[in-house]
Amino acid sequence: MIYYLIVFAPLLGALIAGLAGTRFGPQFLSATASKVVTTGLLFFSAILSWVVFMSIGFGDAADETVPLFRWMAVGDMKADWALKIDTLTAVMLVVVNSVSALVHLYSWGYMSDDKYQPRFFAYLSLFTFAMLMLVTSDNFIQLFFGWEGVGLASYLLIGYYYKKPSANAAAIKAFVTNRVGDVGLALGIMTIFLMFGTVEFDAVFKALEDGADTVLPFLGGSFNAIELIAFLLFIGAMGKSAQFVLHVWLPDAMEGPTPVSALIHAATMVTAGVFLVCRAHPIFELAPMTSGFITTVGAFTALFAASVALVQNDIKRVIAYSTCSQLGYMFFAAGVGAYNAAMFHLFTHAFFKALLFLCAGSVIHALHHEQDMRKMGGIWRKVPWTYGAMVIGTLAITGIGIPGTGIGFAGFFSKDAIIEAAYSMRGDSNAAIFAFWIGIIAALMTSFYSWRLIFMTFHGKFRGEQHTLDHAHESPWNMRVPLVLLSFGAIFAGAVFYKYFMKDYHGFWHGALPAVDGEHHASISNSLYAAAETTASDAHHGDDHAAPGGLFGWLYKDVHGYPFWVLLMPLLASVSGFVIAYFMYIRGSVQAKIDHIKDTGGSLLYNFLLNKWYIDELYDVTIVRATRNLGDLFWKIGDVRIIDGLGPNGVAAMASGVAKRVSKVQTGFLYHYAFVMLLGVALLIMVAFRGTTGG
């Protein structure tokens, strides 16, 4: 019964607010009633989610599948609607419902002036329900239902300000881009059914070994069936989780209200791809080529998105590209087989990324909807709560902590675990080597753009209009409370939950993900989760050189199975990013620094990054214009000239014209008809007379 309440409480809230929200009475009363109902049900669902998380992850509760009803039965394909409950599901329930509940509460203040609050809160709850259906799915068809439901809800929320052309364009862009990825997911599910005759997770995973050598034709070539399935599933994950090539919708999603951005980026839509890869890990374990591809794409996305965030001026877009970069970390962790590290970062990221977005919303709220950081500055005294929370979120995302200890912010534990996982696999995969060094570089960039945001927004002189500064104010308590609660998560989530996610503490994953001594990626198991006394040779895949002595020998000291320099590098990168940002944006004018970059030959690189590597322009020149030209061809030539020309504007028009002319003969006067009859009789007589006379 508890699982029914967790999943369907948000749906109930969405139905009440969406169908009856405006029937509660006057606008104020209907808005209040809708907020109370939806937010109350979300907090109820979130509390129950934590109960399930504690009982599944830390208690004696067993994994189970809760059947609801038979959904479809078409020939041999049968799919039930059921709820799969295991540790992986429990983690996602906590993430989705906790963040969604706080976003609902935050929206009380942020959307207080909106006239259509019942609709907004209905959309938020619908979004949450769709994500819950996705993460509790028992089979690929049900997962696809939740997958598309999230896409629909994101379209509604991104385009919430439907009278704003840019919001409509962003909603369409997100919807269409995700449909491209969804084609891959749909083809992957079809291939799964073709191979195994079922779409249920457990049945498919049990049958994988039997199909490991099967070869299938696809697009004119022949491919290993498991590799093909894994690749197609990942294409779907690329679209939903905004990986490079299919990332272009994510920054434009900022057109929706800020609470929407927090919900999409922290807990729901963008995490769906990571969840899919982790849920289907038995498939990816048997697809080493696709896993290498995932590692490469994830690492490159982490670098690409971080580089773009370096120069963005919209406060929400900086955080949006940060999300894209952090998702890259999660994917390359999954690519090297560290699925629990990927889920750990997903878990901690939900807290500090929701915190950063909601803090950005608080800043926007304080400055009367100003989002350009070039028009901010020096406001930390005006919004001390927001400033403190955003500094905490920044310390978390940049991974500040003390290597080799249990002291650090949430991102310190989860992001470093991913980098360490890539280091562990360096001997088995070139992609892992690439991911390790890219992870370090992206960490430096993450620190720079995060502190750049802090310095440009809260420090220095205010660069906007004076009356905006005069009226700047801290957010109301219904917006501050979520910031406080998320701050606790950003500080403590990593330290508290590290041993459960990363050490398979008392069988935490219950088989939902590979265990410490799991059957795959044993090299990671021997180093990433090793005890501190593990020897360096065991931990480092048999490095053929001993740790050097002397002045720098301490860098090679074994700490938890790693040379100390591996643990130290991410922290050095983060500190370096802070120092660079400090000297660029605190020591002198912000605009002067931007002008200096341009004037000293950095304009080409600056514009390249500012314009997001010109990916959107490239798509416009190739795909968009080509599609538009093809559409014009079918419309102007095929439809207008050929179909309409021969049809309505051709034969039909000619027949209509003839009919109009002939209709003029029908005058309605008797003497006209008699005259015509006489002419006809005369014509017949003349013809007959000529025939009898022969000529």
Side-chain angles (χ1 to χ4, degrees), residues 250-264:
L250 192 64
D252 291 348
M254 298 302 98
E255 290 291 340
T258 300
V260 172
S261 303
L263 190 58
I264 290 177

Side-chain angles (χ1 to χ4, degrees), residues 86 88 92 143 205 237 271-285 294 330-331 333-335 337-344 346 509 511-514:
D86 57 11
L88 186 59
M92 293 303 297
L143 180 142
F205 299 156
T271 63
V274 179
F275 170 80
L276 171 62
V277 173
C278 291
R279 172 61 78 195
H281 74 269
I283 295 176
F284 291 94
E285 288 175 5
I294 294 173
M330 298 176 206
F331 274 111
Y339 303 103
N340 49 352
M343 287 301 302
F344 187 31
L346 185 155
W509 288 109
L513 292 179

Side-chain angles (χ1 to χ4, degrees), residues 213-404:
D213 298 326
T214 304
V215 176
L216 292 176
F218 183 72
L219 297 178
S222 297
F223 301 89
N224 177 272
I226 307 300
E227 290 278 8
L228 179 60
I229 290 171
F231 178 78
L232 292 172
L233 293 180
F234 179 62
I235 295 299
M238 285 178 66
K240 198 65 73 182
S241 293
Q243 294 300 280
F244 185 71
V245 179
L246 295 179
H247 70 279
V248 291
W249 68 270
L250 192 64
D252 291 348
M254 298 302 98
E255 290 291 340
T258 300
V260 172
S261 303
L263 190 58
I264 290 177
H265 286 243
T268 54
M269 186 170 176
V270 297
T271 63
V274 179
F275 170 80
L276 171 62
V277 173
C278 291
R279 172 61 78 195
H281 74 269
I283 295 176
F284 291 94
E285 288 175 5
L286 297 178
M289 292 182 62
T290 301
S291 294
F293 178 69
I294 294 173
T295 304
T296 304
V297 169
F300 189 80
T301 301
L303 177 67
F304 157 75
S307 70
V308 173
L310 295 175
V311 298
Q312 295 302 304
N313 297 311
D314 186 306
I315 187 171
K316 289 173 65 176
R317 283 182 178 268
V318 173
I319 305 174
Y321 277 107
S322 171
T323 298
C324 192
S325 180
Q326 297 303 308
L327 288 166
Y329 275 100
M330 298 176 206
F331 274 111
F332 82 66
V336 300
Y339 303 103
N340 49 352
M343 287 301 302
F344 187 31
H345 197 50
L346 185 155
F347 180 78
T348 60
H349 176 265
F351 292 104
F352 57 73
K353 186 50 59 70
L355 177 62
L356 290 171
F357 262 115
L358 296 187
C359 285
S362 185
V363 170
I364 295 168
H365 184 268
L367 298 180
H368 304 283
H369 302 287
E370 179 59 67
Q371 295 184 201
D372 192 335
M373 296 189 299
R374 293 170 296 184
K375 299 179 181 179
M376 300 179 186
I379 65 169
W380 72 270
R381 289 184 179 88
K382 294 278 189 175
V383 288
W385 287 82
T386 300
Y387 174 68
M390 201 152 201
V391 168
I392 290 173
T394 299
L395 291 170
I397 195 173
T398 55
I400 299 300
I402 303 176

Side-chain angles (χ1 to χ4, degrees), residues 85-136:
I85 307 299
D86 57 11
T87 318
L88 186 59
T89 303
V91 169
M92 293 303 297
L93 290 177
V94 164
V95 169
V96 172
N97 283 324
S98 298
V99 173
S100 182
L102 294 176
V103 167
H104 274 70
L105 178 59
Y106 179 91
S107 299
W108 283 45
Y110 193 88
M111 302 296 292
S112 58
D113 296 332
D114 189 77
K115 295 188 297 184
Y116 308 105
Q117 293 182 59
R119 177 163 62 92
F120 178 77
F121 281 89
Y123 287 171
L124 283 183
S125 292
L126 178 63
F127 199 169
T128 306
F129 166 72
M131 190 65 187
L132 293 176
M133 290 308 308
L134 191 158
V135 301
T136 59

